[in-house]
């Protein structure tokens, strides 16, 4: 990151490198760097990238790194990040590299650069101090991670439901949506045991080419693979390149959102299964046909979580 940021601050020569490609590919099927929640790895890398996104990565440059942007925005919008970093405003116009390095060239010949260049006695003393500090016990981070409670199954305590999700999925996959699958849904749906939700991606201004935007949906579905027994969703990409929106309808077990994967990147609204608005939304998103007036953009393509 320093190769991009430091030249704009006048403390290094300019040497642009595309160092985000590996990270972008890695995050294609992941919400966070390690596991399904924020860890020290996310905190460290977000802080390393902070100046890059605030000073250099203007919108045209961010389009090629949709997975990184989704992860970065998810992290910095967490309350814990906001409490320390404040509001993170993404760069609109890239800062330009300066012609001269502040303070002029540095003379590094007169002083040893590390313990190996120092006299033998100083080097040995440095090693001794490091060995004294490392007593082999757990550090504060390890103790905090060990103290975290184990995740509980949010569906374990729910009462049995009469609605057969697998049967609905079979009808949706194998029979006509409008004449078979939707009538089955409204007839059999257990409103006490299941809930309907509308979700919409919060950052449409960051969406570029359609195929890259669709990768966001695919990546989210992959990260939610363990939820398939308890959920069904139909997501749609509406609009065209550089003018699109991601939204969809979810059918979830229980009355609360039971997952946090990609949660912060979307707005969520619980739907009333008896309202005409809900009937219209479910019909449009499950059939991929309709006007989608609430978005104001035409249907482009859709993906189903089942």
């Amino acid at each position: 990151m320093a190769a991009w940021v430091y030249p704009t601050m006048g403390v290094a020569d300019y040497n642009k490198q595309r160092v985000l490609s590996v990270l972008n590919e890695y995050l294609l099927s992941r919400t966070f760097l390690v596991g399904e929640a924020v860890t020290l790895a996310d905190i460290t890398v977000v802080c390393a990238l902070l100046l890059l996104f605030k000073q250099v990565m203007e919108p045209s440059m961010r389009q090629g790194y949709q997975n990184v942007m989704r992860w970065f925005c998810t992290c910095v919008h967490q309350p814990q990040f906001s409490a320390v970093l404040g509001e993170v405003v993404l760069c609109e116009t890239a800062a330009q590299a300066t012609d001269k390095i502040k303070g002029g060239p540095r003379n590094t010949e007169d002083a040893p650069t590390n313990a190996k260049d120092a006299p033998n006695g100083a080097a040995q003393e440095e090693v001794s101090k490091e060995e004294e500090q490392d007593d082999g016990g757990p550090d504060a981070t390890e103790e905090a991670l060990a103290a975290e409670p184990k995740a509980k199954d949010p569906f374990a305590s729910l009462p049995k439901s009469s609605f057969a999700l697998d049967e609905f999925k079979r009808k949706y996959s194998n029979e006509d949506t409008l004449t078979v699958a939707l009538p089955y849904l409204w007839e059999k749906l257990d409103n006490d045991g299941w809930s309907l939700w509308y979700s919409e991606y919060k950052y449409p201004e960051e969406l570029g080419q359609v195929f890259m935007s669709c990768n966001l949906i695919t990546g989210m579905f992959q990260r939610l693979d363990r939820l398939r027994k308890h959920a069904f969703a139909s997501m749609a990409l509406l609009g065209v390149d550089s003018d699109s929106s991601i939204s969809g309808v979810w059918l979830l077990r229980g009355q609360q959102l039971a997952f946090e994967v990609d949660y912060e990147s979307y707005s969520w609204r619980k739907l009333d299964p008896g309202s005409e608005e809900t009937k219209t939304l479910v019909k449009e998103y499950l059939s991929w046909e309709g006007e989608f007036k609430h978005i104001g953009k035409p249907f482009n393509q859709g993906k189903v979580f089942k």
Side-chain angles (χ1 to χ4, degrees), residues 37 75 196 216 228 234 281:
C75 288
L196 289 164
L216 292 178
R228 294 186 187 276
S234 180
L281 287 174

Side-chain angles (χ1 to χ4, degrees), residues 155-162 190 192-194 253-254:
F155 306 105
S157 61
L158 294 178
K160 291 185 178 181
S161 173
S162 59
D190 168 20
D192 294 327
W194 296 79
R253 185 74 166 95

Side-chain angles (χ1 to χ4, degrees), residues 81-198:
F81 279 84
S82 300
V84 176
L85 303 178
E87 181 182 1
V88 176
V89 179
L90 298 179
C91 172
E92 290 297 330
T93 303
Q96 298 301 312
T98 60
D99 294 331
K100 296 181 179 180
I101 299 176
K102 292 180 180 179
R106 301 173 183 176
N107 184 5
T108 59
E109 297 179 356
D110 298 334
T113 57
N114 52 47
K116 293 181 180 179
D117 299 326
N120 291 338
Q124 292 176 358
E125 183 179 350
E126 184 72 21
V127 172
S128 298
K129 289 181 179 179
E130 291 178 357
E131 291 177 349
E132 290 177 1
Q133 292 175 356
D134 185 8
D135 59 1
D139 58 21
T141 302
E142 292 171 337
E143 291 177 351
L145 292 174
E148 289 184 356
K150 300 297 182 181
K152 297 181 179 179
D153 183 358
F155 306 105
S157 61
L158 294 178
K160 291 185 178 181
S161 173
S162 59
F163 180 70
L165 180 63
D166 287 341
E167 180 62 23
F168 166 69
K169 289 179 178 180
R170 281 192 290 269
K171 291 186 178 297
Y172 181 80
S173 299
N174 302 323
E175 303 189 53
D176 183 71
T177 299
L178 297 179
T179 61
V180 179
L182 284 179
Y184 177 89
L185 173 66
W186 296 124
E187 177 185 355
K188 303 293 186 179
L189 182 61
D190 168 20
N191 293 327
D192 294 327
W194 296 79
S195 56
L196 289 164
W197 297 79
Y198 171 77

Side-chain angles (χ1 to χ4, degrees), residues 200-217:
E200 185 173 337
Y201 190 62
K202 290 181 179 179
Y203 314 106
E205 68 279 359
E206 299 293 336
L207 299 178
Q209 295 182 326
V210 165
F211 82 92
M212 297 178 67
S213 302
C214 286
N215 286 342
L216 292 178
I217 306 175

